[in-house]
Amino acid sequence: MPGPSPPSSGFSGSCDPRADRLADIVFMGTPSFAVPSLEALIRAGHRISLVVTQPDRPAGRGKRIQAPPVKLAAEAHGLPVMQPGRLRREPEAIARIEALRPDLLCVVAFGQILPQEV
């Protein structure tokens, strides 16, 4: 029978002081495929400081303007949404993301090649 375990030092194994808190996230996604990922982050309690998605576009036979599924999900949760045409051509969009200083970007089927700055 093994003896008692040594007392815990309280060290969690991470040198990152943010390791014990939930992340501040900028989520980037567009189609319905990305919605479950956004929903999972919300359910886990992470702070979604911004949702970046493609602009509303014409769709269907009538070519009516439709919002991307990720935008609809974000709005249902009261999250701020940004819809840049092209990140590469919109430095103010990149500046807005940088100004938030998120812990991480979560990219799920966003639909654009991300510039190096992001």
Side-chain angles (χ1 to χ4, degrees):
M1 180 170 202
S5 50
S8 170
S9 66
F11 180 66
S12 66
S14 173
C15 295
D16 185 347
R18 299 176 299 180
D20 292 332
R21 69 176 176 86
L22 296 171
D24 183 13
I25 298 171
V26 169
F27 185 88
M28 303 176 83
T30 300
S32 58
F33 175 83
V35 172
S37 297
L38 175 60
E39 298 279 351
L41 292 170
I42 293 167
R43 275 193 312 276
H46 294 288
R47 180 172 178 260
I48 310 298
S49 52
L50 180 65
V51 175
V52 184
T53 188
Q54 295 286 326
D56 299 354
R57 300 205 194 278
R61 290 186 140 205
K63 298 294 183 190
R64 291 188 330 198
I65 300 294
Q66 290 188 338
V70 165
K71 177 183 179 182
L72 299 175
E75 288 177 341
H77 288 282
L79 300 173
V81 175
M82 179 172 68
Q83 294 181 277
R86 286 278 175 238
L87 281 175
R88 291 182 182 276
R89 296 187 193 130
E90 296 187 31
E92 63 280 355
I94 294 171
R96 182 173 176 193
I97 293 168
E98 288 173 343
L100 293 170
R101 299 183 45 84
D103 296 322
L104 61 98
L105 298 175
C106 180
V107 182
V108 182
F110 176 54
Q112 293 185 31
I113 296 173
L114 301 180
Q116 187 68 31
E117 299 87 358
V118 176

